[in-house]
Structures are given as structure tokens and as C-alpha cells.
């Protein structure tokens, strides 16, 4: 449910960003309330990933102000900003190390009890316990010993261990088969509870239940609303939805 308060968890005002000759964002205004689930949709190059990068302060905008919990990012330590965020990407980066160390990448202070609890929430406990040496099992370069769905569930367990109030999801199920997608989607739904969540959505079926859907085009917000209202409006979202759902 949308539980916006007077001070949004994330606030963007007049945000513009250029990369060379490419205008990635143009005058974007967006508030995300506490506990709200907001989906960003639009074609490639619309500016969705740039918003994620700015929110984590990998870059600063050319103009405008971004605030997290009322504090301007330019006034905060980037490390502290990122501690308040958990990120689940499309492609999970795993290290040539043990399962334990790969999971503890989300929180290096986590003990085994906390790791197993996070694994359970991420639907990862069963396959982790089946590994030859459990958490001590070497996962291989890039997690070569795991399937795509298993790697994604490790990324979700990392996000659980971070205990961060803000969750950034870059369509974590986009490259999975149907069975793996169901396990990952169930894990994500548990992870999103009691967190402020922004989702980059490539497949619109995954964000029908979002509190708000933000439609971006050429660096601007062109529509916003629920799946039902946007589908009925006949705009860009309705056209994208028609293409995907008819297919």
C-alpha cells in the first residue's frame, strides 16, 4: 500500500543529466513515499537506469536536487547513502569464493544464522543446503556452478542481509525460465514488504500491482498512474502493454 508521508523517502526535483551529446534526463520531478512500490517503464534509453545511478550517487545531475529522507545527496556521504539502499540487478555478480562470502557481500558482519534466515526468505535455502560443503562450497568464477535463478536468489538474500529501507530492482526476473521466475518473484515479494521500492520493469506483467507506474520517454516522465488507469488512458503505456500482452 502507498504510505506516503509529508517527507518522501526519495524526492527528485528538476533533475537533468547529460552524457556527452545524449540528454538522459530532462527536468524530472518524482516523489516516492515510504513503503511505496513505484515502477519505471519505457523503452531503452528512456532514462530509467540513469535515475538509479543518480539515486545511488554514482553521478550528480547537471541541475536539480535529489533528497533521500529529506537530506540532499550532495550533503551526505555517498557510502551512507548506499548503506540505505539494496540493489538487485538483472545480472548478479558473484565472486570466485565460497557461498558464505558471496552472501555476506550484502553484510560482512552477518553470522551463519542470519545468512540461513536470509536464504530462506530468498527461496535459496534448499539449494544452498544441497551444495557439497554447504556455505563453504566454492561457487566458481562468476558463480559458474549455479543456475541463473539460483544466482538471482543469492542477490535477493544479499539484499535481505543489508536490512536497507530502500530497494532498487532492475527487473530481476527478465532472463529466467518460468519455474525460476516464480521462485525469484515470490522471494522479491517478501523482500519488498516494509521497504520503499523502485522497480525498473521491462516486462509489464511483473508490475501490474505496483502502487504507481511511471512511464518515461526520452528522459522525461510522460505518464503516471496504476496499471488499470494507464491501460485505459490510451497513451504510451497502453501501447506498450498491448504489444506485450497481445504477444
Amino acid at each position: 500500500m502507498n504510505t506516503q508521508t509529508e517527507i518522501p523517502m526519495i524526492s527528485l526535483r528538476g533533475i537533468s543529466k547529460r552524457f556527452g551529446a545524449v540528454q538522459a534526463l530532462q527536468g524530472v520531478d518524482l516523489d516516492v513515499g515510504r513503503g511505496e512500490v513505484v515502477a519505471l517503464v519505457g523503452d531503452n534509453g528512456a532514462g530509467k537506469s540513469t535515475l538509479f545511478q543518480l539515486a545511488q550517487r554514482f553521478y550528480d545531475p547537471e541541475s536539480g536536487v535529489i533528497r533521500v529522507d529529506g537530506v540532499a545527496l550532495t550533503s551526505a556521504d555517498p557510502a551512507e547513502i548506499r548503506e540505505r539502499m539494496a540493489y538487485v540487478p538483472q545480472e548478479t555478480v558473484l565472486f570466485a569464493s565460497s557461498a558464505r562470502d558471496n552472501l555476506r557481500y550484502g553484510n560482512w558482519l552477518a553470522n551463519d544464522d542470519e545468512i540461513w534466515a536470509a536464504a530462506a526468505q530468498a527461496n535459496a535455502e534448499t539449494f544452498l543446503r544441497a551444495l557439497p560443503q554447504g556455505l563453504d562450497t566454492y561457487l566458481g568464477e562468476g558463480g559458474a556452478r549455479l543456475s541463473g535463478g539460483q544466482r538471482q536468489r543469492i542477490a535477493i538474500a544479499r539484499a535481505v542481509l543489508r536490512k536497507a529501507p530502500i530497494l532498487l530492482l532492475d527487473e530481476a526476473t527478465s532472463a529466467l525460465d518460468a519455474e525460476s521466475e516464480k521462485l525469484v518473484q515470490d522471494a522479491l515479494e517478501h523482500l519488498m514488504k516494509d521497504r520503499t521500492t523502485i522497480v525498473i520493469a521491462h516486462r509489464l506483467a511483473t508490475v501490474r500491482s505496483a502502487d504507481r507506474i511511471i512511464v518515461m520517454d526520452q528522459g522525461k516522465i510522460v505518464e503516471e498512474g496504476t496499471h488499470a488507469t494507464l491501460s485505459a488512458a490510451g497513451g504510451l503505456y497502453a501501447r506498450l502493454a498491448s504489444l506485450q500482452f497481445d504477444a
Side-chain angles (χ1 to χ4, degrees), residues 106-167:
N107 175 5
W108 287 110
L109 300 178
N111 60 38
D112 280 9
D113 288 342
E114 291 170 322
I115 289 172
W116 284 120
Q121 289 186 54
N123 282 339
E125 182 179 14
T126 299
F127 80 79
L128 286 170
R129 290 196 183 277
L131 293 174
Q133 289 84 43
L135 294 178
D136 293 318
T137 303
Y138 177 75
L139 296 184
E141 191 71 38
R145 301 183 64 172
L146 302 178
S147 70
Q150 289 170 336
R151 290 195 293 271
Q152 286 301 81
R153 281 176 275 163
I154 283 183
I156 294 168
R158 286 173 173 172
V160 173
L161 286 168
R162 285 189 71 79
K163 302 177 182 177
I166 298 170
L167 178 62

Side-chain angles (χ1 to χ4, degrees), residues 27 32 39 54 68 104 110 156 172 187-188 199 204 218 224 226 231 246:
V32 181
L54 292 174
V68 172
R104 289 174 66 238
I156 294 168
L188 288 172
V199 186
L204 303 185
Q218 297 183 356
E224 68 175 274
T226 64
S231 296
D246 288 350

Side-chain angles (χ1 to χ4, degrees), residues 29 50 53 58 111 132 149 179 200 231 246:
D29 293 328
T50 302
Q53 293 163 351
F58 293 128
N111 60 38
E179 182 178 359
I200 291 178
S231 296
D246 288 350

Side-chain angles (χ1 to χ4, degrees), residues 11 15 54-57 59-68 70-78 81:
S11 175
I15 299 300
L54 292 174
Q56 296 172 87
R57 210 184 170 199
Y59 306 101
D60 284 331
E62 262 92 46
S63 61
V65 179
I66 302 173
R67 291 183 173 86
V68 172
V71 178
L73 295 195
T74 51
S75 302
D77 182 340
I81 294 166

